[in-house]
Amino acid sequence: MNPPLPDPSRSNPAPYGTAGVVAYRVGAVRDAFGLQLGPSLILVDVGSRTILDILEIDTPPKDYPTIDYSNSVVWPAMVNAHTHLDLCACDPQPYPGSFTAWLSQVLASRGAVKAAQVTQAVAYGLDLSVNAGVGYMGDIAHTPEACMARWRFEKATGTRIVKVGLFEITGRGSRERWACQEMDRFIDENTPHIPVIGLQPHAPYSTGLGVYKHAVALANTHGLHLSTHLAETEEEIEFTRDGSGPLADLLRSVRGDDADIRATGLDPIQVLAGPLAQAHWLLAHCNYVTDENIAFLAKCGASVAYCPMAHAYFHHKPHRYRDMLDAGVNVCLGTDSIVCAPPDSQQPLSILDEMRLLYRRDGTPPDTLLQMATLHGLRALGLSEDFARIAPGCPAQLASAQFNADLDTDPFEQVLRSDVPVSPI
Ligand SMILES: [Zn+2]
């Protein structure tokens, strides 16, 4: 429900004083709670970057310095719920024809990246994201340093972005014990000083059930976020069900008998049923799910990070995100890594481009897309829903894009139809 709007007929909108207040003159306003305004003024306290008021008037009062966005529609900053900023050290790569071949390629590229380059890569990815109107992100980091790189970025640039750093770990067989110890060490060194961190056991084919169980225990004790890649490929189903296929071959080639591969007769979501039922997980992809899987995810209160452009890059079968939404699963949007981005992308890591794909391909309603891109992502990352609201008292962390006021079409729909760039406010 929307908070009551201020009275637009009020002649003197200055109960907060004018010092440190800036007025944004905007062409239209949208938010994830159904707010739809035409030309308006958004008054922002510069110090706290909080919205003070929204006035449905076109003429800025003289009292405030005014910044003109009158050709733009404005909406809350978007959430990239699943990305790998440390892979910004790599370039976009063409799809090599199979997921396993792609995985081998990425592992080789990552192995060649030095620690100092990782920090730079994360800063570069944050910069791309901020400039694409993203305000919040679930960033998977392969090292503790990459997980924490947000603070260095903010210090250097003064740009605010809320980054939930999820420390990724892999480990099967005899390496399960090591993986659990690494998670313990990460938590000892980083909590409780840093509130927005979490753990990501990589995926059911690379990481043993014991690691998942330990991650749940740690998350429930320390109030941490939990994420994993799940049901991403048909090869993953073959791996967990039959203990065979290209992923089994890849693991055996790297780890030999120690990979601890066995047929379970279960699909990946069934394999992780215990840990999934014991915490709120953010599940990346879920590209291959059954009706029973969807009902189970809804029951567990899981969130699914759907990455439409990455999904298309891998030529997966159609994603069931609309069935998941209908079943009550909290589906949000992610970009995955820059490696899967189109090489000619004007704004890599743009959540708006992910929305555009779904709008144009599937005709998904703009309101649904705006919710997936803001509110659902915030819920998935355990962040305040106020970040998806444009109202007094809410953060002035906004995105904007130009539209044509002479057209009858809804301004936000115009943005989804066009390729105009998105900018942060
Ligand atoms: Zn991923």
Side-chain angles (χ1 to χ4, degrees), residues 61-356:
K62 291 192 289 289
D63 318 353
Y64 305 105
T66 302
I67 301 173
D68 189 33
Y69 280 86
S70 54
N71 295 325
S72 296
V73 53
V74 167
W75 67 95
M78 293 164 282
V79 184
N80 185 349
H82 180 81
T83 190
H84 300 256
L85 295 183
D86 54 7
L87 286 176
C88 287
C90 308
D91 291 323
Q93 292 171 15
Y95 179 53
S98 80
F99 178 77
T100 313
W102 178 87
L103 191 62
S104 305
Q105 224 173 47
V106 169
L107 290 174
S109 303
R110 177 184 267 160
V113 173
K114 297 190 175 73
Q117 289 173 292
V118 168
T119 304
Q120 276 176 9
V122 173
Y124 172 60
L126 285 167
D127 195 44
L128 285 177
S129 302
V130 168
N131 286 312
V134 169
Y136 318 92
M137 54 203 330
D139 173 37
I140 314 308
H142 201 58
T143 60
E145 293 71 29
C147 199
M148 299 301 157
R150 168 199 156 196
W151 285 270
R152 276 189 287 276
F153 172 80
E154 283 189 1
K155 228 174 170 181
T157 63
T159 308
R160 282 194 331 183
I161 189 160
V162 177
K163 172 177 175 275
V164 177
L166 291 147
F167 175 49
E168 185 170 72
I169 198 85
T170 60
R172 290 188 71 87
S174 62
R175 274 176 69 87
E176 280 199 22
R177 193 180 154 82
W178 169 86
C180 293
Q181 287 169 347
E182 280 299 289
M183 289 192 290
D184 290 342
R185 195 155 67 93
F186 173 75
I187 288 164
D188 284 349
E189 289 173 5
N190 298 302
T191 59
H193 338 288
I194 298 174
V196 282
I197 56 173
L199 299 168
Q200 161 142 323
H202 172 253
Y205 56 87
S206 65
T207 307
L209 192 57
V211 180
Y212 279 89
K213 288 179 178 167
H214 193 61
V216 168
L218 289 171
N220 286 340
T221 304
H222 298 279
L224 303 175
H225 302 267
L226 281 173
S227 178
T228 190
H229 295 100
L230 192 58
E232 185 172 3
T233 61
E234 288 174 308
E235 290 93 328
E236 184 180 326
I237 297 172
E238 188 180 1
F239 179 92
T240 60
R241 191 186 53 207
D242 306 329
S244 61
L247 286 170
D249 295 343
L250 175 67
L251 246 87
R252 284 203 184 94
S253 73
V254 178
R255 305 284 317 283
D257 288 345
D258 195 33
D260 188 30
I261 298 168
R262 60 187 85 170
T264 64
L266 303 173
D267 68 40
I269 292 176
Q270 290 169 330
V271 164
L272 294 187
L276 291 178
Q278 288 166 359
H280 286 136
W281 286 81
L282 170 54
L283 307 172
H285 308 307
C286 292
N287 294 331
Y288 294 90
V289 294
T290 63
D291 289 346
E292 291 72 26
N293 289 154
I294 292 176
F296 177 70
L297 295 180
K299 195 171 145 210
C300 295
S303 296
V304 169
Y306 171 33
C307 304
M309 289 203 289
H311 178 272
Y313 168 94
F314 286 106
H315 305 283
H316 288 306
K317 290 180 181 164
H319 196 280
R320 299 189 63 188
Y321 69 100
R322 286 169 291 189
D323 294 335
M324 293 180 192
L325 288 168
D326 289 346
V329 177
N330 182 53
V331 184
C332 49
L333 295 175
T335 60
D336 219 333
S337 74
I338 204 165
V339 178
C340 306
D344 57 350
S345 174
Q346 299 298 308
Q347 292 189 297
L349 306 181
S350 162
I351 288 295
L352 177 59
D353 282 350
E354 305 286 350
M355 298 163 79
R356 281 172 167 150

